[in-house]
Amino acid sequence: MANRSYLYSIDFDPTTTPRDNDSKVCGLSEWPYAIPFAYLLLVSQDAKACNSIIFGYDKPIAIMGDFYKGRQRLLDFMERLEGLGILEKEELEWQTTEARAFLNNPANQGSYIVLECGEIFDMADESEGALEELNERLLNTIKNLTEDFILEEMQKVENQQARSNLLGISFWSDVLYYS
């Protein structure tokens, strides 16, 4: 396992329709050893648990949300960040421009966005629960996530690079380990 979280845009609802060869699945990003706040914001709108579109697991271990509403929430949050001085101004401007361009590209868009965390959950101790239980807890976190909470968590970290990594807006690519 690669121990990453993954983001995909898709054009089908995996809670009602299985993925097939005609389904649009576009890789958006992957992040090593963590689930960054940007991913949580992106899937936070109309979020619900769903089966994985990349792993053959028979219970819900992924989370899906509305792509367009999630994109707007992330971009609004990034604009809010620009005036707070939590991240280096030039770096944040560059990352915001890159994120906006990538997420606004029609080739990268779908009706839904899917967060795949099976590899991250697999790193947890067995005493923390089965993968689907960890997914359900993450879904509850996402449903209660506020921008103020994210800002507080970022401000707890003194290093600018570590703050940027918590946010996770710098690795956009349509070529992922699982495509």
Side-chain angles (χ1 to χ4, degrees), residues 39-131:
Y39 288 21
L40 302 181
L41 289 170
L42 282 165
V43 299
S44 68
Q45 303 303 288
D46 303 329
K48 59 185 173 181
C50 66
N51 284 5
S52 174
I53 62 170
I54 60 174
F55 300 116
Y57 196 79
D58 63 347
K59 295 184 179 158
I61 60 167
I63 297 171
M64 64 177 283
D66 182 284
F67 176 89
Y68 297 101
K69 291 178 187 176
R71 176 189 62 184
Q72 191 59 52
R73 186 174 185 199
L74 175 63
L75 295 177
D76 289 348
F77 179 72
M78 291 165 56
E79 283 182 27
R80 181 178 174 194
L81 272 176
E82 289 178 6
L84 298 177
I86 293 173
L87 295 172
E88 183 182 301
K89 183 180 182 345
E90 293 80 22
E91 183 69 17
L92 179 60
E93 287 174 356
W94 175 82
Q95 289 181 4
T96 299
T97 299
E98 291 290 313
R100 183 174 285 114
F102 189 85
L103 294 172
N104 284 337
N105 181 339
N108 299 326
Q109 298 174 5
S111 299
Y112 305 100
I113 189 160
V114 175
L115 172 59
E116 293 278 357
C117 299
E119 291 182 4
I120 300 297
F121 297 151
D122 200 41
M123 292 188 314
D125 187 279
E126 288 181 16
S127 66
E128 295 180 59
L131 301 181

Side-chain angles (χ1 to χ4, degrees), residues 99-167:
R100 183 174 285 114
F102 189 85
L103 294 172
N104 284 337
N105 181 339
N108 299 326
Q109 298 174 5
S111 299
Y112 305 100
I113 189 160
V114 175
L115 172 59
E116 293 278 357
C117 299
E119 291 182 4
I120 300 297
F121 297 151
D122 200 41
M123 292 188 314
D125 187 279
E126 288 181 16
S127 66
E128 295 180 59
L131 301 181
E132 62 272 14
E133 293 169 336
L134 297 172
N135 194 62
E136 189 62 35
R137 277 185 255 163
L138 179 61
L139 178 60
N140 289 332
T141 297
I142 289 169
K143 287 182 174 184
N144 294 299
L145 186 66
T146 68
E147 287 82 2
D148 288 337
F149 172 79
I150 295 171
L151 293 172
E152 289 171 14
E153 291 301 305
M154 290 177 70
Q155 289 173 325
K156 289 179 184 177
V157 179
E158 296 200 23
N159 178 288
Q160 287 282 321
Q161 182 61 49
R163 284 182 182 173
S164 182
N165 287 342
L166 281 175
L167 182 57

